[in-house]
Amino acid sequence: MIWVILPAYNEADSLPRLLPKLQAALAAYPDGWHVVVVDDGSTDGTAELLEEYQLTYPMSVVTHSINRGLGETERDAFEFVAARCAPDDLVVRLDCDDTHEPEFLERLIDKVAEGFDVVNTSRFQPGGGQKGVTGYRAFISRAANLFMKLIFNIPGLRDYSCGYRAYRGRVLQDAVRVYGNQFLQLRGLGFTSTLETVVKLHLLGCRFAEVPFVLRYDQKASASKMVSSITTLGYLAMAVLYHWPFGGWASQYRGLRKLYRHDRDAALSRFGLRGVRMRTASRISL
């Protein structure tokens, strides 16, 4: 099965455009598909719209009574799916604002089938790009990704800040078991969770790849939720936490990557947190 994660905050204008395209892209998938929307305290009618869509689409809704931010939203979505998916299922996370076209899902699915654990869409691969983005914003995005490459250097990745990704169900389950509530440790710092997800999965031992895609910012119907200053602070904080010489992530999980690739069961036994209690959101509709 393919699980589609959609973080949503005030997306009443975007959902009617995005969901039919998702259905068209996945309708023929033989093992079925299911959408998980995390409504992060929307106030524009998104909640009412999702109630209607649950009658039409294979969909679950996780609801936050107040807006908690992208990090909390992604954490709840990953935990929700990890607790329900099969190890061989595919989990795809898209933005809900219609800037991530479902037509690229086929490329992601095919790339995962080649043996990769995480497949990222990339604006910076040949054939990729972005529309509707100002020159200044494009420059800042490129500079930020060069900084991330320099600091974290994950093989197979060039676009660290795009959240349009496919994950094997197994690796999300393993990440929740190993990291527990610290899987997304900096979830309160803007969009930092998008970067932290791949950094934590890299430490776990996942294999990464990318496929080119075009970011359609010109189709964005809702207002931007990103606060650049907070997200930038999050990136800097993560760089310190990762490389801190006295107990940073790189030293705390030293040996996990190599052991996980050689003997997954041994890695989970050594690093895994036994009896991790799944955190649940305020309301889950199935």
Side-chain angles (χ1 to χ4, degrees):
M1 176 178 285
I2 294 181
W3 298 77
V4 179
I5 291 174
L6 296 177
Y9 176 57
N10 289 343
E11 297 293 356
D13 292 332
S14 304
L15 283 166
R17 296 156 54 177
L18 175 62
L19 289 174
K21 290 189 283 187
L22 268 176
Q23 184 177 45
L26 294 173
Y29 189 72
D31 295 326
W33 57 288
H34 192 89
V35 177
V36 177
V37 183
V38 183
D39 180 13
D40 190 31
S42 296
T43 58
D44 69 338
T46 293
E48 293 76 13
L49 198 60
L50 288 172
E51 288 185 4
E52 297 178 16
Y53 281 141
Q54 284 183 278
L55 303 175
T56 306
Y57 298 98
M59 178 184 292
S60 300
V61 178
V62 179
T63 301
H64 293 167
S65 58
I66 59 174
N67 180 250
R68 298 179 184 171
L70 181 63
E72 292 275 3
T73 301
E74 287 192 317
R75 190 268 300 275
D76 280 351
F78 287 144
E79 289 186 0
F80 183 95
V81 173
R84 292 162 178 80
C85 71
D88 292 332
D89 284 351
L90 190 65
V91 183
V92 182
R93 183 270 198 216
L94 293 81
D95 281 352
C96 199
D97 58 4
D98 200 34
T99 60
H100 294 171
E101 282 290 343
E103 67 182 71
F104 296 102
L105 285 169
E106 184 176 2
R107 295 184 185 181
L108 291 170
I109 294 168
D110 290 344
K111 201 67 176 177
V112 171
E114 294 179 16
F116 295 99
D117 300 306
V118 182
V119 179
N120 198 53
T121 57
S122 175
R123 296 159 289 174
F124 309 131
Q125 291 289 344
Q130 45 196 350
K131 296 182 179 181
V133 178
T134 65
Y136 173 77
R137 185 178 180 125
F139 170 78
I140 293 298
S141 178
R142 175 71 76 167
N145 276 278
L146 288 174
F147 168 79
M148 296 174 205
K149 182 68 174 176
L150 177 65
I151 296 297
F152 303 106
N153 192 27
I154 300 176
L157 281 193
R158 294 178 64 185
D159 197 335
Y160 288 72
S161 58
C162 181
Y164 191 176
R165 300 184 184 125
Y167 308 87
R168 290 187 185 274
R170 181 186 68 246
V171 301
L172 289 180
Q173 294 171 333
D174 291 347
V176 171
R177 179 175 174 184
V178 168
Y179 299 114
N181 197 42
Q182 301 304 313
F183 181 23
L184 294 181
Q185 188 172 334
L186 301 180
R187 52 188 176 271
L189 291 175
F191 283 26
T192 308
S193 57
T194 302
L195 171 62
E196 186 175 358
T197 301
V198 292
V199 170
K200 290 291 180 63
L201 292 177
H202 174 55
L203 288 170
L204 185 64
C206 294
R207 292 178 171 86
F208 292 80
E210 286 187 334
V211 297
F213 100 117
V214 178
L215 174 68
R216 294 301 305 270
Y217 210 76
D218 57 326
Q219 297 179 171
K220 186 174 176 61
S222 58
S224 176
K225 288 86 176 178
M226 184 176 189
V227 181
S228 298
S229 58
I230 295 177
T231 300
T232 300
L233 176 62
Y235 292 160
L236 294 174
M238 193 179 306
V240 173
L241 286 171
Y242 185 86
H243 289 288
W244 187 251
F246 309 108
W249 296 349
S251 60
Q252 183 179 355
Y253 296 103
R254 181 178 292 116
L256 173 60
R257 183 184 309 126
K258 183 177 181 180
L259 183 59
Y260 183 86
R261 289 186 176 181
H262 175 70
D263 190 336
R264 173 173 169 260
D265 290 337
L268 294 179
S269 177
R270 176 179 171 185
F271 289 92
L273 302 176
R274 300 199 178 275
V276 172
R277 186 175 180 179
M278 288 294 196
R279 178 182 180 278
T280 57
S282 56
R283 178 173 67 86
I284 296 174
S285 302
L286 290 171

